[in-house]
Amino acid sequence: MRTLIHEAEGALNGLGIQHPEQWGEAELKTWDLAGRGRRVVSVSLLLLCLITISTGALLTMLVEHRWAMAMEMWLPSYAFLLLTAFYVQLDLIAVKRGRSPAYVQWAAVSTLVACQTQADENQATSVTTAQLSRNVDRLNDALITYAQFGVSRKPGPRAALLAQCAAMSQRLESAFETSLRDRSQVRGLAEHIVHLIDALGRQEPLNMVPAAESAPTESVPVGGALPWRMVLGHLLAFLTGVGLIAGFKALGLSAEYLLLLAPLIYLVVQIPYLATGRIPIALRHLPGLEAPMPEPAPDSEVRTSDSDASADVPRLLVPTPQRHN
């Protein structure tokens, strides 16, 4: 963490920006320790799973009664691998939510380092641009996680903090888009991040953005209409899975052997999601925060000035995060 802070300080020196009053070293150390513990546990469990499933597969291939040995050795090790991978994902979510202030600090400092790389003429490439985009998306995700789990679960403070984090996320996304038009404007993105670190260091999370720019609490709805296409996709996937099991049983296959065909069943049940335009990974997205649709102004008012026209355009407070391969 000390090395990361030194890199961030060097980035701010290169951009000509004043350092934050506090770097939140305690939070960064907390995140570092939590990350190390999670990696040690994850690597140990996955290594144990790899050894177990390899041993089970080897014994299954060597013996004469392969189906019986698969049920005795390979199938339990395969189930152990799936459960371990599921546990690792749950542990990652728990660390982010339980250490959400540290998650924000780490994401903010990492984004500062990416800003300096992008601003350097000798280092800026398409790879650094994609890296900066990923860092901004991660910082936005950390902000929303912090708003939901980092301070209070009471409706009042949580709604006020959501409005602040939504406004800050909008600032970050706007500054990043500006840097895509003019790379020298990466400095503006770094200045927003420094202000964010200062606000969190002073333990003033409701001071991330001025009150005038923060959306009113009642205008920041969480979630939206019921995603009927996603519900339909789940229903069709369930019916497809039931149909596959019924078909295999009709062919005379025992129910125990169906677990060996789990990868095939998993691929087949993805078809309904693709047909309805929704995929299961969408369930892991955080709810979007959208501003209410403004009422259309008369033509005479719209044409008065460019600033009035831009104010009538609905804005997305938290843009939908994009994934980069």
Side-chain angles (χ1 to χ4, degrees):
M1 287 295 106
R2 171 53 58 183
T3 302
L4 182 61
I5 291 178
H6 283 324
E7 291 179 356
E9 290 175 344
L12 294 180
N13 291 335
L15 294 172
I17 301 175
Q18 185 177 1
H19 294 188
E21 298 176 0
Q22 299 179 6
W23 281 102
E25 293 187 25
E27 299 290 352
L28 291 175
K29 289 178 181 177
T30 300
W31 179 260
D32 183 46
L33 291 175
R36 289 184 182 183
R38 191 185 65 82
R39 285 192 296 271
V40 169
V41 174
S42 301
V43 171
S44 302
L45 286 176
L46 291 177
L47 182 60
L48 177 61
C49 288
L50 179 62
I51 295 175
T52 304
I53 197 170
S54 300
T55 305
L58 180 61
L59 292 176
T60 301
M61 296 301 297
L62 292 178
V63 299
E64 182 178 355
H65 302 285
R66 294 183 178 179
W67 283 110
M69 183 56 69
M71 297 300 300
E72 295 289 339
M73 293 292 299
W74 187 81
L75 186 58
S77 60
Y78 180 72
F80 181 51
L81 174 63
L82 294 181
L83 291 176
T84 302
F86 179 66
Y87 164 76
V88 169
Q89 292 299 319
L90 285 182
D91 186 49
L92 176 60
I93 295 174
V95 169
K96 288 182 178 180
R97 293 183 176 184
R99 302 288 186 268
S100 56
Y103 181 32
V104 174
Q105 289 282 354
W106 172 73
V109 176
S110 301
T111 307
L112 281 179
V113 177
C115 287
Q116 194 274 338
T117 305
Q118 180 67 7
D120 191 344
E121 295 182 358
N122 298 324
Q123 298 183 18
T125 61
S126 59
V127 176
T128 61
T129 303
Q131 182 181 6
L132 180 59
S133 177
R134 286 193 296 270
N135 276 273
V136 172
D137 290 341
R138 184 172 58 193
L139 182 53
N140 288 336
D141 174 72
L143 281 171
I144 299 305
T145 304
Y146 172 70
Q148 291 179 319
F149 305 99
V151 176
S152 175
R153 301 302 297 272
K154 295 181 180 180
R158 186 182 183 188
L161 190 56
L162 276 171
Q164 282 281 319
C165 290
M168 175 55 71
S169 296
Q170 181 186 359
R171 274 187 165 191
L172 296 175
E173 283 292 341
S174 177
F176 173 68
E177 292 178 2
T178 302
S179 70
L180 294 180
R181 300 185 183 94
D182 184 0
R183 188 166 49 81
S184 63
Q185 298 301 319
V186 174
R187 173 188 171 91
L189 175 60
E191 289 176 345
H192 291 318
I193 298 174
V194 170
H195 179 72
L196 168 64
I197 295 176
D198 278 332
L200 295 179
R202 296 190 304 267
Q203 295 304 311
E204 298 175 356
L206 293 183
N207 196 25
M208 294 182 189
V209 296
E213 296 184 19
S214 180
T217 302
E218 60 272 9
S219 66
V220 188
V222 178
L226 185 65
W228 288 110
R229 287 200 299 172
M230 188 180 298
V231 174
L232 179 60
H234 281 293
L235 179 61
L236 291 178
F238 173 74
L239 295 178
T240 302
V242 173
L244 282 174
I245 294 176
F248 288 138
K249 281 193 173 184
L251 294 176
L253 293 176
S254 176
E256 291 80 3
Y257 298 129
L258 297 180
L259 297 177
L260 299 176
L261 302 175
L264 175 62
I265 297 177
Y266 176 79
L267 293 176
V268 173
V269 297
Q270 303 307 305
I271 297 176
Y273 292 111
L274 298 176
T276 56
R278 299 291 180 179
I279 56 177
I281 197 173
L283 294 176
R284 295 185 295 195
H285 290 175
L286 290 171
L289 306 178
E290 298 184 0
M293 294 292 292
E295 296 182 0
D299 294 340
S300 59
E301 297 182 6
V302 175
R303 297 172 183 174
T304 53
S305 64
D306 294 339
S307 60
D308 294 336
S310 62
D312 292 334
V313 180
R315 298 184 302 172
L316 195 65
L317 293 181
V318 176
T320 303
Q322 298 181 356
R323 298 182 177 273
H324 301 271
N325 297 326

